[in-house]
């Protein structure tokens, strides 16, 4: 094994993300819950993953579906109790799976005790837990806009002050410059780690330090104005290091920080291995902008070359220095087949997309439903959507582009696309709930796209994911190997190699609905390689090449 790369359990694992409300309903009230998760632990394990990341399970008014936390030490009653959580934790551990919690500490809910007390007693200790500021005359304290659209300040009449909220109005930002807030965060971490959880996904953690004086921005965007004043802010290093040294280092745990607008250079600052490392991995967003500018509402159309460039940069810049977190879907992203794949070639493109990212160097994360190729949903009216950011972005889009285009964007970009209930079977309500009505719309395609129908089909997307994760697990070259890209100028093919000592892998992926011819790059003799995985049958090679069929993918291994 190459000496430059250090082994770690979090590097070898694959993670399954559960967004609890839509995963599985165990008590028949129409809402996903922990009882449902418990019943599905064997299914999750059967995928070949080693850990579960739970999107927030905590007590919350659900204005942002759990990312607005009212009590960090209790479970949302709709999802169950702390004992139910402990049963899931034990069930996961018994099956050899780790459990990762979402740590949402950039903000709380406005229903959190701290926030309520910050209003009740402006001279008390909790006022400074948040960013309360006087207005400037009739104007807000600065011109920042929420990342969900609309101003980032909300006025409170009783106090004649405004509070900062970078997300929804009901999500006031915590003031991490107050050492008491950081102590609270560390206590929350200890609470869950002592219970036995194995790590955290840290929500927008790179936003927790705001520039002193909260200056106005010289730029204006309808969404996120002022972001340069808190993205990667002045004390971020200090606060993350404090969390690591005071808490995380004392446990055998892992962290992955969510980091919008992150570059490799900045990321290395936080995740490069060594004494100054602050987090184990980071979820950056650059590869999620291959069909848009920054985020999916600024839709441009998918460009494979853009995607490849980003992937190659992250693979190369981090190799031997830091570790990638790999994902193509989560609860904030529309379904990937609608974005980077092909609905016409749904099964083929789902497998190609899976191979594309899971064979890279890093820890792969798989979002619920991704493993069966779930698709976006198109609801008739914006009123049918429940996600707060969908409504805000729709309003901005409608004012700029008109109703029709705004609605097209809702269908393409809404986070609700990823939040429809998991399609377990072709039975009533897709087997998600026994209630008459699930909490949210089920995609009508569930009669065809569901877990049960794919379980027994050896060529299903579901069984492909299982084979792919097994292949990764059994071949260290796919975990720890270095990365080299070929065919860089191709707008149809994505080809890369992985190298570890004398082992090599070649990953060949087509993103075309037409046939594309391919010759293996120098150094790879296909007649000496083993075709380890493909999404088509009868995959021969002639003269060291072959013709790829629509969205065909192949993984060759060489000794
Ligand atoms: C990122 C989370 O993934 C998203 O769902 C949430 O709305 C924001 N952070 C605010 O917590």
């Amino acid at each position: 094994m190459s000496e430059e790369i250090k082994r770690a359990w979090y590097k070898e694992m694959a993670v399954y993300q559960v967004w609890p409300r839509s995963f599985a309903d165990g008590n028949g009230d129409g809402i996903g819950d922990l009882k449902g998760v418990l019943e599905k632990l064997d299914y999750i394990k059967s995928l070949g993953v080693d850990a579960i990341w739970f999107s927030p399970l905590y007590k919350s008014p659900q204005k942002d579906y759990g990312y607005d936390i009212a009590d960090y030490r209790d479970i949302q009653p709709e999802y169950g109790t702390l004992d139910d959580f402990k049963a899931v934790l034990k069930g996961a551990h018994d099956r050899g799976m780790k459990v990762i919690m979402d740590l949402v500490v950039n903000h709380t809910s406005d229903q959190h005790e701290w926030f309520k007390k910050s209003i009740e007693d402006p001279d008390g200790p909790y006022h400074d837990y948040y960013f309360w500021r006087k207005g400037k005359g009739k104007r807000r304290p600065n011109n920042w806009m929420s990342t969900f659209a609309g101003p980032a300040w909300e006025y409170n009449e009783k106090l004649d002050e405004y509070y900062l909220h970078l997300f929804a109005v009901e999500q006031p930002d915590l003031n991490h410059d107050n050492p008491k807030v950081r102590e609270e965060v560390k206590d929350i971490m200890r609470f869950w780690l002592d219970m036995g959880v194995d790590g955290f996904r840290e929500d927008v953690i790179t936003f927790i330090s705001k520039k002193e004086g909260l200056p106005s921005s010289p730029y204006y965007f309808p969404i996120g104005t002022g972001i340069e004043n808190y993205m990667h802010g002045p004390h971020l290093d200090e606060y993350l290091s404090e969390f690591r040294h005071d808490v995380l280092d004392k446990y055998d745990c892992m962290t992955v920080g969510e980091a919008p607008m992150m570059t490799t250079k900045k990321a290395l600052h936080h995740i490069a291995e060594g004494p100054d490392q602050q987090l184990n991995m980071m979820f950056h967003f650059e590869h999620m902008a291959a069909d848009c500018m920054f985020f999916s509402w600024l839709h441009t159309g998918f460009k494979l070359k853009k995607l490849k460039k980003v992937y190659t940069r992250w693979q190369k810049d981090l190799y031997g220095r830091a570790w990638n977190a790999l994902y193509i879907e989560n609860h904030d992203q529309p379904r990937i087949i609608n974005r980077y794949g092909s609905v016409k070639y749904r099964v083929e493109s789902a497998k190609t997309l899976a191979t594309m990212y899971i064979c890279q160097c890093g820890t792969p994360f798989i979002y619920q439903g991704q493993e069966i190729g779930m698709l976006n949903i198109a609801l008739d009216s914006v009123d049918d959507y429940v996600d707060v950011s969908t409504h805000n972005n729709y309003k901005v889009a409608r004012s700029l582009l008109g109703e029709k285009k705004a609605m097209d964007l809702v269908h393409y970009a809404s986070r609700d696309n990823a939040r429809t209930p998991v399609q377990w079977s072709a039975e009533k309500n897709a087997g998600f709930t026994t209630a008459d009505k699930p909490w949210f719309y089920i995609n009508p395609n569930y009669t065809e796209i569901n877990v049960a129908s794919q379980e027994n089909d050896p060529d299903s997307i579901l069984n492909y994911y299982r084979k792919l994760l097994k292949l990764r697990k059994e071949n260290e070259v796919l975990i720890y190997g270095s990365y080299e890209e070929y065919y860089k100028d191709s707008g149809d093919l994505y080809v890369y190699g992985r190298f570890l000592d004398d082992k090599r892998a070649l990953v060949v992926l087509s993103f075309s609905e037409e046939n594309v011819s391919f010759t293996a790059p120098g150094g790879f003799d296909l007649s000496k390689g083993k075709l380890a995985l493909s999404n088509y049958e009868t995959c021969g090679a002639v003269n060291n090449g072959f013709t790829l069929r629509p969205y065909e993918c192949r993984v060759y291994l060489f000794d």
Side-chain angles (χ1 to χ4, degrees), residues 64 67 107 148 167 201 203-204 258 331-332 415 419:
D64 188 19
Y67 286 89
H107 43 266
F148 282 172
F167 294 90
R201 174 265 187 191
D203 189 68
V204 287
E258 189 200 22
H331 62 292
D332 292 332
R415 304 195 298 182
R419 298 175 177 192

Side-chain angles (χ1 to χ4, degrees), residues 24-57:
D25 175 16
N27 69 355
D29 65 354
I31 298 171
D33 50 36
L34 285 165
K35 191 161 175 268
V37 174
L38 196 63
E39 285 162 12
K40 299 293 184 192
L41 284 179
D42 285 332
Y43 168 77
I44 298 176
K45 176 73 186 170
S46 81
L47 300 173
V49 298
D50 312 278
I52 306 172
W53 150 30
F54 286 106
S55 274
L57 292 161

Side-chain angles (χ1 to χ4, degrees), residues 43 47 337 346-347 350-351 369-374 423-426 445-466:
Y43 168 77
L47 300 173
I337 297 169
R346 186 183 68 87
V347 175
K351 295 174 182 175
Q370 180 189 324
E371 77 278 16
I372 56 167
M374 280 178 64
Q423 297 160 205
W424 292 103
S425 72
N445 64 23
Y446 75 91
T447 49
E448 273 151 50
I449 303 174
N450 60 67
V451 172
S453 68
Q454 295 193 24
E455 277 291 358
N456 302 321
D457 171 5
D459 294 327
S460 66
I461 302 170
L462 175 61
N463 281 317
Y464 188 87
Y465 265 90
R466 288 178 171 139

